[in-house]
Structures are given as structure tokens and as C-alpha cells.
Amino acid sequence: MIDGVTLPEIANAHSQYAKALTSRYFIRNAPLWPNLDTRAPRLYKPAQSGDVEALALSAPRESDLAEQPNQDDDAALHARLARLSTSLDAQDQASSDKAKTDLGNNTLGGAMSLGFRVLTEFVAGIVVGALIGWQLDVWLKTSPILLIVFLTLGTAAGFWNVYRIAVKPTGRGPL
Amino acid sequence: MAAEQGIDPIHQFRIEPIIPIHIGGLDLSFTNSSLFMVIVLGLACALMILGTSGNALVPGKIQSAAEMSYEFVGNMIKQTAGTEGMRFFPFVFALFMFVIFSNIVGLVPYSFAVTSQIVVTFALAILVIAVVIIYGVMRHGTHFLKLFVPSGVSPLLLPFIVLIEVISFVARPISLSVRLFANMLAGHITLKVFGAFVASLLGAGAFAVIAPLPLAMTVILTGFELLVAVLQAYVFAILTCVYLNDAIHPGH
């Protein structure tokens, strides 16, 4: 007995906690690797204490059990699950934030790729405009009016591309 | 003779048939380019197969690499195209792995950089744009054309804006392919030129004293090219996501 909680109850909470961990892990990854389902039994073997430690996730704290000695195990478990969910979400958020800055615009690589992107988008707009105008001139025998018109439009498209990159470097929807 | 060979920096991009195959006037030979594409595919498949076969709860080195590449591409798609974009995960992941492996394998001396051929990068870019157009039309029908008609433009300007939008859409596969191709081509030529400087200086009597300078430059450039190789694969993949986002939400 520790603060009114029996040892089997603690053990039960531990195993449910471990199950919750693994099932959460499984659910997070399941839609992404559906064909790994068959390997689930091997992937998600019953959690041993070593595994949980290796995941660097905390076991139920003594204080949690001590705080509400008379309440249901369920309530304590829910509280722990909620805490776990928050920490997992925070972890996800942190990792996605990290991914954002890893190759973002703050590094030399990011700046370089952005610069080269601007260059190619600009040149590609002009080249495509010139090619369309030139080909239309050949077909309609209006040389060189359409070449000039489409070269101008292509330059505008090049500037427009650059403007869009400047407004939203890699964010959602360049339009 | 050796110096003369070294000064030809374009030689490394020559396509040489290994197994000549000619069918009905078409040259379908298995070339050094094809060989390195097979090697690249083999390496990418080996990474993923070895990485997922262990299934350890605490991943080893290869499993970590496989999981990191998965998470990296997954996050990239979720950030640029939303969770709906995850249906294109296999497509983007395959593109990313192919480009990054061919860029890195191309840096190994005596190997062949598949992505330094405009034919290869343009084929990849056209594939991306074809997926965008086909999926956009399948999912939104004629509504997909709203991509070219931004909202809130005065009717007077609209024809010009639509033309500009069409031109900028057509320019996408070109800028996508030229960017990757030009980066790889320029990097390999630069490396070769600086390498040739070392060889020429060593054969130039007293000037051999300054031969270590281009050698040091080659070392620096190799590291730089490694950065470019990874970065261009990332840029290719993230722009694929941005374009796929247009196919998913054309009205934006």
C-alpha cells in the first residue's frame, strides 16, 4: 500500500499506460504505413519497463497517485493520458517547427536556394513568353508583333513569379 | 595527354552505351546513365527495406535514416499541401529519394550524375505537372481553371492577368527542371575545372608551389556541392508539394 493504492493497482496503471503509449504510437503511424499492419505484433510487442524508459517517457508519478488517493484509477489514467497527449502534440509541433527552420530561409543553404529559385522562375517566365510569341508568329505569320507582346507578358509573368515568392516563400498556396 | 583530358570538363556528362539495344530505329541502349539510375533505385530501395525490416522500438542507424527521411517528407507535405496532400506521399517521397540519391551518388568520383541531364529532370518535372493537371481536372473539373483566374481583379485587366498566369504555369516545369539540372551541371563542371587546375599546375614547373590552392578549393567545393545536392532535392520536392497544393485547392 502506498497512499491507499495497492501495488497491483499501480502495476495495472503502469501496463495500461504502456498500452496507451503503444496504441497512440500505432494510431499516429497507421494511416501512413498501412501495409506494415501485418508487422504490428512484432513492432508493438508488449511494452517492458526498459522499452518505456527507452522512449524517455515518464512513468506515473508518485505525486499523481498521492494527489487523489480516493479517486478512480480511471481518472488518474485519463489525467496522465491527457498529459501524454499534450506532450506528444508539443513534440510534434516542436519537430515540425524544427523542420521548418532546418532548411528554411535563415541558413546559407536556404538563402541560396531561394536566390536560385527567384532567378530560374524569372528567367523561365521570360523564356516561355518568348517561345510562345515566336511560335504563334510562325503560325499566324504576324512576325514580330506577337513575339514582342508575349515577351512583355512573359517578363510580367517572371516578375509576378518573383513577387509571389517574395510574399510567400514556401507557404501554402502560391496563388 | 593526361592534363588535356583533365581540362575537358564536359566529358563526364557523355552518355555511353553499355549494352546496345536498337529496336525499330529507336536507340534503347542500356547506357551509363541507365546503370546509375538502377544503382540509385537500388540504394533508395535498400535504405527503405533494410530500414523497415528491423522494426526495433529503439531504431538503429539505418532505421533512423529511413524514419527521418519519411518524417521529413511527411512534414514537408503536411506544411505545404495540408493533410490532404498526404495522399501524394508515395509520389513525392519517390521523387525526393530518387533526386537526393542521384545527386549524392553523382558526387562520388568516377560516377555519373543522373540529374545533370536535362532530359531526366525535365521528365520528372513534366511528370509532376501532369499529375497536377490530371488530378486537378479529375477532382475539380472545369473549376480547376480557376487556378488561372485570381479573384478580385478588374474585368479590364483580367485577360492580361489570365495570360500571365498561363505563362507562369507553363514556365513551372521549365524552372523546376532547369534549376535542378543547372545546379548539378554547374557544380560538377566547377569541381572538374578546379581539379584540372591542380593537375596543370603540378606539371608547370615552379608554379607547382601554388597547386595546393585549387586543391583546397576542390575540397571546399565538394562540401558545398553536398549541400547543394541535398538542398536541390529538397527544393524539388517542396515545389512539387506547392504545385500539388494548387491541384488540391485551385481557388486559392
Side-chain angles (χ1 to χ4, degrees):
Chain A
M1 293 282 281
I2 303 169
D3 291 339
V5 183
T6 60
L7 280 178
E9 274 174 337
I10 293 176
N12 186 34
H14 267 279
S15 81
Q16 284 197 26
Y17 185 73
K19 263 185 214 158
L21 281 186
T22 48
S23 68
R24 171 67 196 257
Y25 188 72
F26 185 47
I27 289 163
R28 279 168 77 215
N29 289 275
L32 314 176
W33 289 106
N35 55 356
L36 286 183
D37 277 1
T38 51
R39 285 175 172 169
R42 271 211 291 149
L43 240 186
Y44 304 106
K45 60 191 173 184
Q48 293 149 9
S49 59
D51 292 332
V52 177
E53 275 166 27
L55 278 171
L57 292 161
S58 56
R61 289 180 197 155
E62 289 242 338
S63 59
D64 280 354
L65 299 168
E67 270 170 19
Q68 305 147 328
N70 298 323
Q71 282 204 353
D72 271 351
D73 266 2
D74 266 4
L77 182 65
H78 276 126
R80 279 200 294 276
L81 275 180
R83 204 177 63 214
L84 172 67
S85 288
T86 340
S87 70
L88 275 175
D89 287 345
Q91 209 181 346
D92 275 2
Q93 189 57 42
S95 72
S96 75
D97 281 353
K98 190 174 168 294
K100 211 179 262 178
T101 51
D102 256 0
L103 285 169
N105 304 322
N106 307 328
T107 58
L108 165 74
M112 212 173 61
S113 80
L114 190 65
F116 211 78
R117 221 186 122 189
V118 168
L119 176 72
T120 48
E121 299 271 353
F122 186 61
V123 172
I126 298 174
V127 167
V128 165
L131 282 179
I132 291 175
W134 180 61
Q135 193 55 50
L136 283 179
D137 265 347
V138 169
W139 282 337
L140 304 173
K141 300 193 181 2
T142 50
S143 179
I145 298 158
L146 286 178
L147 174 63
I148 295 168
V149 170
F150 274 87
L151 195 58
T152 316
L153 283 173
T155 312
F159 276 116
W160 182 227
N161 285 339
V162 173
Y163 172 75
R164 270 195 304 222
I165 294 173
V167 173
K168 285 182 192 171
T170 50
R172 274 181 70 114
L175 283 178
Chain B
M1 184 64 204
E4 268 175 28
Q5 267 183 354
I7 289 168
D8 179 13
I10 306 293
H11 182 263
Q12 55 180 323
F13 304 114
R14 186 171 294 165
I15 303 275
E16 277 147 3
I18 296 172
I19 307 167
I21 305 166
H22 295 273
I23 299 168
L26 283 173
D27 188 359
L28 302 176
S29 303
F30 189 83
T31 61
N32 52 351
S33 179
S34 329
L35 174 68
F36 274 94
M37 282 188 214
V38 172
I39 290 174
V40 161
L41 278 184
L43 283 175
C45 291
L47 173 69
M48 294 323 285
I49 290 170
L50 288 177
T52 51
S53 64
N55 280 340
L57 205 55
V58 181
K61 279 177 199 160
I62 296 179
Q63 194 182 338
S64 287
E67 287 178 1
M68 267 168 64
S69 53
Y70 163 78
E71 293 234 333
F72 183 70
V73 177
N75 281 335
M76 180 161 63
I77 297 175
K78 275 182 227 152
Q79 276 165 25
T80 45
T83 38
E84 250 187 298
M86 282 306 277
R87 71 179 59 193
F88 290 109
F89 178 81
F91 176 60
V92 179
F93 189 72
L95 269 181
F96 177 73
M97 292 308 267
F98 181 78
V99 173
I100 197 169
F101 268 92
S102 40
N103 285 356
I104 291 175
V105 166
L107 278 178
V108 177
Y110 295 106
S111 72
F112 182 86
V114 177
T115 41
S116 65
Q117 306 287 320
I118 184 90
V119 180
V120 175
T121 58
F122 194 69
L124 294 178
I126 282 289
L127 179 68
V128 170
I129 297 299
V131 167
V132 166
I133 294 175
I134 291 170
Y135 181 76
V137 170
M138 259 173 54
R139 175 149 169 196
H140 299 285
T142 51
H143 185 71
F144 176 65
L145 293 176
K146 271 212 158 173
L147 184 66
F148 304 117
V149 189
S151 54
V153 176
S154 73
L156 201 67
L157 274 175
L158 201 60
F160 296 104
I161 297 289
V162 169
L163 265 178
I164 287 173
E165 288 286 356
V166 169
I167 290 174
S168 102
F169 187 82
V170 174
R172 278 176 184 184
I174 294 174
S175 68
L176 195 60
S177 56
V178 166
R179 180 168 35 242
L180 179 56
F181 148 78
N183 265 295
M184 298 318 291
L185 184 84
H188 281 85
I189 290 179
T190 320
L191 273 180
K192 199 79 170 186
V193 166
F194 274 97
F197 281 169
V198 181
S200 332
L201 282 172
L202 280 179
F207 289 110
V209 180
I210 54 168
L213 290 177
L215 182 66
M217 197 64 196
T218 315
V219 174
I220 295 168
L221 274 178
T222 307
F224 184 70
E225 282 310 308
L226 206 57
L227 171 73
V228 168
V230 177
L231 208 63
Q232 287 307 313
Y234 168 74
V235 169
F236 197 92
I238 202 159
L239 283 179
T240 302
C241 295
V242 170
Y243 298 158
L244 286 171
N245 182 43
D246 282 351
I248 300 168
H249 317 280
H252 271 240

